[in-house]
Amino acid sequence: MILRSLAMVFALTAGLAAATASFAAAAPAAPRRFTARDMAMMDRVSDPRLSPDGRFLVWDVRATDWKGNKGEHSLWILDSRTPAMAPRKLAVSAKGASSPRWSADGRYLYFLSSRTGSQQVWRTDSDGAEAIAVTSLPLDVAAYRLAPDGRSLVVAAEVFPDCADLACTRARLDERKAGGVSGSTYAHLPFVVWDNWLAGTQAHLFALALDASGAASTPPVPLMKGFDADSPTRPFGDDTDFVFVDGGRSVVFSALAPGDAWGVSEETHLYKVPADGSAAPVMISPAAKGSYSNPTPSPDGQRLAFIGKQGQGGEDVRAGVYVLDLKSGAVKEADPGYDRSADTLAWAPDGRSLYATVGDTGLERLVSIDPASGKVTALTDVGHVGEVSVAGARVVFSRDSLVSGAQLYDLARAGPPRRLTDANAAQMAATPMSPYEAFSFPGWNGEAVHGYVVKPYGFQEGRKYPVAFLIHGGPHGTFGDAWSYRWNPQVWAGMGYAVVMVDFHGSSGYGEAFARSIVEHWGDRPLEDLQKGWTAALSRYPWLDGDHACALGGSYGGYMIAWIASAWNGPWKCLVDHDGVFDTRSMAYSTDIPGFAEHETGGFGWEHAAQYEAFNPAARIGEWKTPILVVHGGRDYRVPIDQGLGAFTAAQRKGVPSQLLYFPDENHWVLKPQNSVEWYRVVGGWMGRWTGNAPPAGADSASGAP
């Protein structure tokens, strides 16, 4: 496979360099290794939004409050008419600001803020000096959308479905908080979602009229009264789940069919409802079976693009792009024959084409789609493209990679994209990133499988280095050319490890057949790929020390760690199992997504017991011998705590050297900055104990290593 180059680095202007410490180049310090503390303290760029004329670009920067053990959000802006192109932090960010959205005329910039104790919608202008309240609801606003005419907006809030107004929900929540009863009774699924026990509320949409000053002037109008489902969808839904259409007279939203149990059904549909709430929502999905999301109206308002999965299935099913004629109801697939899944959508200003982000062979590309011809054109060839904003003649997107957190880029009409931000410049100069390469090899069934290797910090030719063999989760995920604030290969490289990652069968970004091949085959086909990938890497890169290697994985990757503890324990000095599945049978009954477990394993556990036992790590404890560190979060209901406790107890009773790292306040992911650094400290210590590796010497005091 041709190795991918990362020569996409462009010099910024002197004005950008002088703007602020966070976005400015600084004199490089003496180089040192990159640490977990460095990663935790990085500023995180996201959510770029162009003003309608393309002049202004605003985005979110999440900084780390180390002492407070949390992130803090602010808004930054760049004026394309400023010759020096110097970004600046908006003053309204002083009390926290996120989710910036421009009004259709570009006069106002709206955002979310909790400056008064409750998260509400506020607005300012391009100067960003004054924050003016738009909503003052008794409940937090989770997400919002502005109408094209600027006269109304739709907000999402968690409410009790039987309440007549928001005040009723507020009163009931306050009453529960003040009471002494902590028990809850559940009569149906779901009872937990991701990291929360449900309290009987649902995410519903409400419309509000705005007066001449831009403030909400009428009581919220419920748009989903009696609709037994959530929009935005749980647990990560946002304003891409709903949108104004018909010039602001209607709203289209994505949700499960009313009454369908979240975690059992994965089929979301599109519904249309009058913005004045005068009628009930009506399904406009092209088929009764399938999953449809990301409604995106065309610039002329005549069509609605969306992402759709046809028929039944789960994360292994291809997500195509479709266009609905809002007048005739006709639906056309925009990218037929393109065997990749779309993740985000945006229309070109002329309405003739669409921009989408798609996973493709270890990358997340920005592509252009011509709905008329079905032609798909790749616009980027490195890294992981995140959010995209299109306005005027500009296309701006965020992109990260294995050697950089997200930066913003302007898509040039000719030549490579132009970089607009330089977040964390001083730190990145002080901690040079380790280079990486992509490789491929024949895997299961002789099919091509792809992977990456990352060199250790301070790499020297002729030396051998211990290895961290990282196994991704999902299982329909990927460890590709992307930055992560959780599993980051550069932190292991900074510890002195080479890193090897393999996108085994089941991974996303390689087509539907590749993704679906893992269904009912969790323990054999991916394992064969991992084994062959390990052999290929050792033969191709002589500096890998295969005698001093540890395998690590989270979620499905943690499952694979528990599986290879018996099925392939020969190469490893140690194992790390983070929030992994230990007992496939009990997992299907305790996870918040039982429908996923049933799909991946072939059906119900009581009807397909043999499939559940075929690749069940809990059934093969007798072969465990490799030292194993088990990590689990107390608020993880995706892979519940019983799975981690079971794995640790099994190792202890078997006499296998083992440790348990428990975070009572974390979910499936370790998100708090101090906990993240502790995670790496314990994991690094465990690996060093069994491989004999010590982090490279260097000036680590500024980083607060590990």
Side-chain angles (χ1 to χ4, degrees), residues 153-192:
L153 79 161
V154 166
V155 301
E158 288 272 343
V159 298
F160 290 106
D162 61 330
C163 272
D165 53 30
L166 302 187
C168 166
T169 292
R170 177 77 272 158
R172 192 178 298 180
L173 290 173
D174 291 344
E175 181 181 356
R176 285 187 177 184
K177 186 176 181 180
V181 176
S182 62
S184 298
T185 302
Y186 300 89
H188 57 76
L189 298 176
F191 51 91
V192 291

mmCIF file of all heavy atoms in Angstrom, residues 153-192:
data_model
loop_
_atom_site.group_PDB
_atom_site.id
_atom_site.type_symbol
_atom_site.label_atom_id
_atom_site.label_comp_id
_atom_site.label_asym_id
_atom_site.label_seq_id
_atom_site.Cartn_x
_atom_site.Cartn_y
_atom_site.Cartn_z
ATOM 1 N N LEU A 153 -37.503 30.207 16.435
ATOM 2 C CA LEU A 153 -36.497 29.174 16.591
ATOM 3 C C LEU A 153 -37.140 27.957 17.226
ATOM 4 O O LEU A 153 -38.226 28.043 17.832
ATOM 5 C CB LEU A 153 -35.298 29.639 17.421
ATOM 6 C CG LEU A 153 -35.403 29.693 18.946
ATOM 7 C CD1 LEU A 153 -34.008 29.716 19.555
ATOM 8 C CD2 LEU A 153 -36.178 30.919 19.403
ATOM 9 N N VAL A 154 -36.481 26.814 17.055
ATOM 10 C CA VAL A 154 -36.913 25.571 17.686
ATOM 11 C C VAL A 154 -35.833 25.170 18.678
ATOM 12 O O VAL A 154 -34.635 25.224 18.368
ATOM 13 C CB VAL A 154 -37.137 24.459 16.651
ATOM 14 C CG1 VAL A 154 -37.260 23.096 17.316
ATOM 15 C CG2 VAL A 154 -38.372 24.748 15.832
ATOM 16 N N VAL A 155 -36.260 24.776 19.872
ATOM 17 C CA VAL A 155 -35.326 24.326 20.891
ATOM 18 C C VAL A 155 -35.676 22.904 21.292
ATOM 19 O O VAL A 155 -36.831 22.467 21.166
ATOM 20 C CB VAL A 155 -35.339 25.238 22.132
ATOM 21 C CG1 VAL A 155 -34.973 26.663 21.758
ATOM 22 C CG2 VAL A 155 -36.692 25.198 22.837
ATOM 23 N N ALA A 156 -34.683 22.188 21.783
ATOM 24 C CA ALA A 156 -34.880 20.845 22.311
ATOM 25 C C ALA A 156 -34.689 20.888 23.816
ATOM 26 O O ALA A 156 -33.754 21.526 24.318
ATOM 27 C CB ALA A 156 -33.897 19.870 21.678
ATOM 28 N N ALA A 157 -35.589 20.201 24.537
ATOM 29 C CA ALA A 157 -35.503 20.156 25.994
ATOM 30 C C ALA A 157 -36.039 18.819 26.490
ATOM 31 O O ALA A 157 -36.893 18.201 25.852
ATOM 32 C CB ALA A 157 -36.291 21.308 26.630
ATOM 33 N N GLU A 158 -35.532 18.373 27.631
ATOM 34 C CA GLU A 158 -35.995 17.137 28.265
ATOM 35 C C GLU A 158 -37.239 17.434 29.093
ATOM 36 O O GLU A 158 -37.184 18.236 30.031
ATOM 37 C CB GLU A 158 -34.898 16.572 29.163
ATOM 38 C CG GLU A 158 -33.730 15.977 28.411
ATOM 39 C CD GLU A 158 -33.952 14.505 28.077
ATOM 40 O OE1 GLU A 158 -34.839 13.880 28.686
ATOM 41 O OE2 GLU A 158 -33.235 13.997 27.206
ATOM 42 N N VAL A 159 -38.350 16.774 28.750
ATOM 43 C CA VAL A 159 -39.620 17.052 29.429
ATOM 44 C C VAL A 159 -40.325 15.747 29.786
ATOM 45 O O VAL A 159 -40.065 14.696 29.194
ATOM 46 C CB VAL A 159 -40.553 17.899 28.537
ATOM 47 C CG1 VAL A 159 -39.927 19.248 28.236
ATOM 48 C CG2 VAL A 159 -40.896 17.166 27.245
ATOM 49 N N PHE A 160 -41.232 15.821 30.755
ATOM 50 C CA PHE A 160 -42.140 14.717 31.014
ATOM 51 C C PHE A 160 -43.245 14.783 29.966
ATOM 52 O O PHE A 160 -43.920 15.821 29.839
ATOM 53 C CB PHE A 160 -42.721 14.808 32.424
ATOM 54 C CG PHE A 160 -41.710 14.532 33.504
ATOM 55 C CD1 PHE A 160 -41.200 15.566 34.279
ATOM 56 C CD2 PHE A 160 -41.264 13.237 33.727
ATOM 57 C CE1 PHE A 160 -40.265 15.315 35.270
ATOM 58 C CE2 PHE A 160 -40.330 12.978 34.718
ATOM 59 C CZ PHE A 160 -39.824 14.020 35.490
ATOM 60 N N PRO A 161 -43.440 13.726 29.189
ATOM 61 C CA PRO A 161 -44.389 13.789 28.068
ATOM 62 C C PRO A 161 -45.813 14.145 28.467
ATOM 63 O O PRO A 161 -46.544 14.718 27.664
ATOM 64 C CB PRO A 161 -44.317 12.377 27.475
ATOM 65 C CG PRO A 161 -43.007 11.825 27.919
ATOM 66 C CD PRO A 161 -42.752 12.432 29.261
ATOM 67 N N ASP A 162 -46.206 13.834 29.704
ATOM 68 C CA ASP A 162 -47.585 14.106 30.108
ATOM 69 C C ASP A 162 -47.770 15.511 30.661
ATOM 70 O O ASP A 162 -48.891 15.903 31.003
ATOM 71 C CB ASP A 162 -48.044 13.087 31.148
ATOM 72 C CG ASP A 162 -47.197 13.124 32.414
ATOM 73 O OD1 ASP A 162 -46.001 13.461 32.319
ATOM 74 O OD2 ASP A 162 -47.731 12.810 33.500
ATOM 75 N N CYS A 163 -46.695 16.288 30.743
ATOM 76 C CA CYS A 163 -46.800 17.653 31.257
ATOM 77 C C CYS A 163 -47.357 18.584 30.183
ATOM 78 O O CYS A 163 -47.004 18.481 29.002
ATOM 79 C CB CYS A 163 -45.439 18.166 31.719
ATOM 80 S SG CYS A 163 -45.048 17.783 33.441
ATOM 81 N N ALA A 164 -48.191 19.524 30.611
ATOM 82 C CA ALA A 164 -48.807 20.465 29.676
ATOM 83 C C ALA A 164 -47.843 21.568 29.251
ATOM 84 O O ALA A 164 -48.000 22.147 28.178
ATOM 85 C CB ALA A 164 -50.053 21.083 30.304
ATOM 86 N N ASP A 165 -46.847 21.868 30.088
ATOM 87 C CA ASP A 165 -45.896 22.930 29.752
ATOM 88 C C ASP A 165 -44.557 22.642 30.424
ATOM 89 O O ASP A 165 -44.411 21.691 31.204
ATOM 90 C CB ASP A 165 -46.435 24.301 30.164
ATOM 91 C CG ASP A 165 -46.866 24.352 31.631
ATOM 92 O OD1 ASP A 165 -46.274 23.609 32.445
ATOM 93 O OD2 ASP A 165 -47.777 25.125 31.948
ATOM 94 N N LEU A 166 -43.560 23.487 30.135
ATOM 95 C CA LEU A 166 -42.228 23.282 30.689
ATOM 96 C C LEU A 166 -42.198 23.494 32.189
ATOM 97 O O LEU A 166 -41.420 22.840 32.902
ATOM 98 C CB LEU A 166 -41.234 24.224 30.008
ATOM 99 C CG LEU A 166 -41.086 24.123 28.486
ATOM 100 C CD1 LEU A 166 -39.932 25.000 28.010
ATOM 101 C CD2 LEU A 166 -40.874 22.693 28.044
ATOM 102 N N ALA A 167 -43.036 24.387 32.678
ATOM 103 C CA ALA A 167 -43.077 24.655 34.113
ATOM 104 C C ALA A 167 -43.477 23.409 34.889
ATOM 105 O O ALA A 167 -42.995 23.170 36.002
ATOM 106 C CB ALA A 167 -44.047 25.805 34.401
ATOM 107 N N CYS A 168 -44.346 22.613 34.319
ATOM 108 C CA CYS A 168 -44.757 21.362 34.958
ATOM 109 C C CYS A 168 -43.566 20.427 35.131
ATOM 110 O O CYS A 168 -43.375 19.828 36.197
ATOM 111 C CB CYS A 168 -45.858 20.700 34.138
ATOM 112 S SG CYS A 168 -46.204 18.981 34.561
ATOM 113 N N THR A 169 -42.754 20.293 34.095
ATOM 114 C CA THR A 169 -41.567 19.447 34.194
ATOM 115 C C THR A 169 -40.607 19.982 35.242
ATOM 116 O O THR A 169 -40.070 19.227 36.061
ATOM 117 C CB THR A 169 -40.856 19.361 32.831
ATOM 118 O OG1 THR A 169 -41.680 18.631 31.923
ATOM 119 C CG2 THR A 169 -39.512 18.655 32.952
ATOM 120 N N ARG A 170 -40.394 21.302 35.256
ATOM 121 C CA ARG A 170 -39.502 21.905 36.230
ATOM 122 C C ARG A 170 -39.970 21.620 37.653
ATOM 123 O O ARG A 170 -39.178 21.247 38.534
ATOM 124 C CB ARG A 170 -39.429 23.408 35.997
ATOM 125 C CG ARG A 170 -38.575 24.194 36.985
ATOM 126 C CD ARG A 170 -37.110 24.028 36.694
ATOM 127 N NE ARG A 170 -36.531 22.878 37.367
ATOM 128 C CZ ARG A 170 -35.419 22.268 36.964
ATOM 129 N NH1 ARG A 170 -34.801 22.663 35.886
ATOM 130 N NH2 ARG A 170 -34.951 21.254 37.646
ATOM 131 N N ALA A 171 -41.254 21.772 37.879
ATOM 132 C CA ALA A 171 -41.802 21.550 39.215
ATOM 133 C C ALA A 171 -41.641 20.095 39.640
ATOM 134 O O ALA A 171 -41.295 19.802 40.792
ATOM 135 C CB ALA A 171 -43.269 21.963 39.243
ATOM 136 N N ARG A 172 -41.863 19.183 38.715
ATOM 137 C CA ARG A 172 -41.762 17.769 39.060
ATOM 138 C C ARG A 172 -40.317 17.382 39.354
ATOM 139 O O ARG A 172 -40.043 16.608 40.280
ATOM 140 C CB ARG A 172 -42.322 16.912 37.929
ATOM 141 C CG ARG A 172 -42.524 15.447 38.303
ATOM 142 C CD ARG A 172 -43.131 14.651 37.168
ATOM 143 N NE ARG A 172 -44.457 15.130 36.798
ATOM 144 C CZ ARG A 172 -45.195 14.598 35.822
ATOM 145 N NH1 ARG A 172 -44.699 13.567 35.117
ATOM 146 N NH2 ARG A 172 -46.382 15.083 35.540
ATOM 147 N N LEU A 173 -39.383 17.909 38.571
ATOM 148 C CA LEU A 173 -37.975 17.637 38.825
ATOM 149 C C LEU A 173 -37.540 18.189 40.181
ATOM 150 O O LEU A 173 -36.808 17.526 40.930
ATOM 151 C CB LEU A 173 -37.118 18.237 37.710
ATOM 152 C CG LEU A 173 -37.220 17.575 36.331
ATOM 153 C CD1 LEU A 173 -36.449 18.399 35.303
ATOM 154 C CD2 LEU A 173 -36.698 16.149 36.365
ATOM 155 N N ASP A 174 -37.984 19.403 40.497
ATOM 156 C CA ASP A 174 -37.630 20.008 41.785
ATOM 157 C C ASP A 174 -38.225 19.217 42.941
ATOM 158 O O ASP A 174 -37.584 19.040 43.993
ATOM 159 C CB ASP A 174 -38.112 21.455 41.832
ATOM 160 C CG ASP A 174 -37.346 22.364 40.887
ATOM 161 O OD1 ASP A 174 -36.257 21.953 40.424
ATOM 162 O OD2 ASP A 174 -37.844 23.467 40.588
ATOM 163 N N GLU A 175 -39.445 18.734 42.754
ATOM 164 C CA GLU A 175 -40.102 17.944 43.797
ATOM 165 C C GLU A 175 -39.338 16.644 44.042
ATOM 166 O O GLU A 175 -39.145 16.226 45.183
ATOM 167 C CB GLU A 175 -41.543 17.644 43.387
ATOM 168 C CG GLU A 175 -42.329 16.852 44.426
ATOM 169 C CD GLU A 175 -43.746 16.565 43.969
ATOM 170 O OE1 GLU A 175 -44.135 17.034 42.883
ATOM 171 O OE2 GLU A 175 -44.463 15.854 44.707
ATOM 172 N N ARG A 176 -38.899 15.998 42.981
ATOM 173 C CA ARG A 176 -38.135 14.761 43.129
ATOM 174 C C ARG A 176 -36.812 15.023 43.843
ATOM 175 O O ARG A 176 -36.385 14.241 44.698
ATOM 176 C CB ARG A 176 -37.857 14.145 41.762
ATOM 177 C CG ARG A 176 -39.056 13.474 41.120
ATOM 178 C CD ARG A 176 -38.619 12.755 39.851
ATOM 179 N NE ARG A 176 -39.721 12.040 39.222
ATOM 180 C CZ ARG A 176 -39.590 11.268 38.145
ATOM 181 N NH1 ARG A 176 -38.401 11.141 37.574
ATOM 182 N NH2 ARG A 176 -40.628 10.641 37.631
ATOM 183 N N LYS A 177 -36.165 16.109 43.484
ATOM 184 C CA LYS A 177 -34.878 16.430 44.086
ATOM 185 C C LYS A 177 -35.014 16.700 45.572
ATOM 186 O O LYS A 177 -34.141 16.330 46.377
ATOM 187 C CB LYS A 177 -34.264 17.643 43.379
ATOM 188 C CG LYS A 177 -32.848 17.976 43.828
ATOM 189 C CD LYS A 177 -32.284 19.121 43.009
ATOM 190 C CE LYS A 177 -30.863 19.446 43.446
ATOM 191 N NZ LYS A 177 -30.275 20.568 42.645
ATOM 192 N N ALA A 178 -36.103 17.346 45.949
ATOM 193 C CA ALA A 178 -36.316 17.694 47.349
ATOM 194 C C ALA A 178 -36.798 16.507 48.174
ATOM 195 O O ALA A 178 -36.665 16.496 49.398
ATOM 196 C CB ALA A 178 -37.324 18.836 47.452
ATOM 197 N N GLY A 179 -37.370 15.507 47.532
ATOM 198 C CA GLY A 179 -37.927 14.362 48.245
ATOM 199 C C GLY A 179 -36.852 13.407 48.721
ATOM 200 O O GLY A 179 -35.676 13.499 48.355
ATOM 201 N N GLY A 180 -37.260 12.441 49.521
ATOM 202 C CA GLY A 180 -36.321 11.486 50.088
ATOM 203 C C GLY A 180 -36.330 10.133 49.422
ATOM 204 O O GLY A 180 -35.596 9.231 49.833
ATOM 205 N N VAL A 181 -37.161 9.959 48.387
ATOM 206 C CA VAL A 181 -37.254 8.661 47.708
ATOM 207 C C VAL A 181 -36.250 8.615 46.563
ATOM 208 O O VAL A 181 -36.225 9.496 45.709
ATOM 209 C CB VAL A 181 -38.681 8.424 47.167
ATOM 210 C CG1 VAL A 181 -38.734 7.112 46.386
ATOM 211 C CG2 VAL A 181 -39.684 8.414 48.308
ATOM 212 N N SER A 182 -35.437 7.575 46.549
ATOM 213 C CA SER A 182 -34.442 7.433 45.484
ATOM 214 C C SER A 182 -34.785 6.323 44.504
ATOM 215 O O SER A 182 -34.150 6.213 43.458
ATOM 216 C CB SER A 182 -33.061 7.162 46.079
ATOM 217 O OG SER A 182 -33.060 5.943 46.807
ATOM 218 N N GLY A 183 -35.768 5.500 44.806
ATOM 219 C CA GLY A 183 -36.102 4.368 43.947
ATOM 220 C C GLY A 183 -36.928 4.772 42.740
ATOM 221 O O GLY A 183 -37.703 5.730 42.778
ATOM 222 N N SER A 184 -36.760 4.027 41.644
ATOM 223 C CA SER A 184 -37.544 4.230 40.432
ATOM 224 C C SER A 184 -38.035 2.877 39.940
ATOM 225 O O SER A 184 -37.328 1.870 40.066
ATOM 226 C CB SER A 184 -36.715 4.901 39.331
ATOM 227 O OG SER A 184 -36.277 6.186 39.725
ATOM 228 N N THR A 185 -39.216 2.860 39.368
ATOM 229 C CA THR A 185 -39.806 1.636 38.840
ATOM 230 C C THR A 185 -39.863 1.722 37.325
ATOM 231 O O THR A 185 -40.255 2.748 36.766
ATOM 232 C CB THR A 185 -41.227 1.423 39.401
ATOM 233 O OG1 THR A 185 -41.162 1.371 40.831
ATOM 234 C CG2 THR A 185 -41.826 0.126 38.871
ATOM 235 N N TYR A 186 -39.478 0.638 36.655
ATOM 236 C CA TYR A 186 -39.472 0.593 35.198
ATOM 237 C C TYR A 186 -40.323 -0.569 34.721
ATOM 238 O O TYR A 186 -40.265 -1.667 35.275
ATOM 239 C CB TYR A 186 -38.045 0.449 34.662
ATOM 240 C CG TYR A 186 -37.142 1.589 35.063
ATOM 241 C CD1 TYR A 186 -36.423 1.543 36.261
ATOM 242 C CD2 TYR A 186 -37.009 2.715 34.263
ATOM 243 C CE1 TYR A 186 -35.602 2.592 36.643
ATOM 244 C CE2 TYR A 186 -36.188 3.768 34.632
ATOM 245 C CZ TYR A 186 -35.483 3.705 35.821
ATOM 246 O OH TYR A 186 -34.674 4.743 36.195
ATOM 247 N N ALA A 187 -41.110 -0.318 33.682
ATOM 248 C CA ALA A 187 -42.002 -1.355 33.154
ATOM 249 C C ALA A 187 -41.642 -1.770 31.737
ATOM 250 O O ALA A 187 -42.290 -2.662 31.172
ATOM 251 C CB ALA A 187 -43.452 -0.866 33.200
ATOM 252 N N HIS A 188 -40.667 -1.116 31.138
ATOM 253 C CA HIS A 188 -40.271 -1.461 29.776
ATOM 254 C C HIS A 188 -38.868 -0.924 29.520
ATOM 255 O O HIS A 188 -38.333 -0.115 30.290
ATOM 256 C CB HIS A 188 -41.261 -0.876 28.757
ATOM 257 C CG HIS A 188 -41.427 0.611 28.857
ATOM 258 N ND1 HIS A 188 -40.494 1.504 28.385
ATOM 259 C CD2 HIS A 188 -42.415 1.360 29.420
ATOM 260 C CE1 HIS A 188 -40.900 2.739 28.624
ATOM 261 N NE2 HIS A 188 -42.057 2.685 29.251
ATOM 262 N N LEU A 189 -38.274 -1.385 28.428
ATOM 263 C CA LEU A 189 -36.974 -0.865 27.994
ATOM 264 C C LEU A 189 -37.163 0.432 27.232
ATOM 265 O O LEU A 189 -38.197 0.626 26.596
ATOM 266 C CB LEU A 189 -36.280 -1.896 27.095
ATOM 267 C CG LEU A 189 -35.941 -3.243 27.726
ATOM 268 C CD1 LEU A 189 -35.358 -4.185 26.676
ATOM 269 C CD2 LEU A 189 -34.969 -3.082 28.885
ATOM 270 N N PRO A 190 -36.166 1.324 27.307
ATOM 271 C CA PRO A 190 -34.929 1.230 28.073
ATOM 272 C C PRO A 190 -35.101 1.789 29.483
ATOM 273 O O PRO A 190 -35.997 2.600 29.734
ATOM 274 C CB PRO A 190 -33.971 2.111 27.272
ATOM 275 C CG PRO A 190 -34.858 3.199 26.735
ATOM 276 C CD PRO A 190 -36.186 2.538 26.442
ATOM 277 N N PHE A 191 -34.227 1.386 30.363
ATOM 278 C CA PHE A 191 -34.193 1.984 31.698
ATOM 279 C C PHE A 191 -32.892 2.745 31.917
ATOM 280 O O PHE A 191 -32.803 3.586 32.798
ATOM 281 C CB PHE A 191 -34.392 0.924 32.788
ATOM 282 C CG PHE A 191 -33.477 -0.259 32.666
ATOM 283 C CD1 PHE A 191 -32.257 -0.268 33.314
ATOM 284 C CD2 PHE A 191 -33.840 -1.365 31.919
ATOM 285 C CE1 PHE A 191 -31.397 -1.356 33.205
ATOM 286 C CE2 PHE A 191 -32.996 -2.462 31.810
ATOM 287 C CZ PHE A 191 -31.763 -2.465 32.456
ATOM 288 N N VAL A 192 -31.881 2.433 31.098
ATOM 289 C CA VAL A 192 -30.647 3.221 31.089
ATOM 290 C C VAL A 192 -30.271 3.514 29.643
ATOM 291 O O VAL A 192 -30.596 2.732 28.731
ATOM 292 C CB VAL A 192 -29.465 2.504 31.792
ATOM 293 C CG1 VAL A 192 -29.681 2.406 33.274
ATOM 294 C CG2 VAL A 192 -29.225 1.131 31.173
#
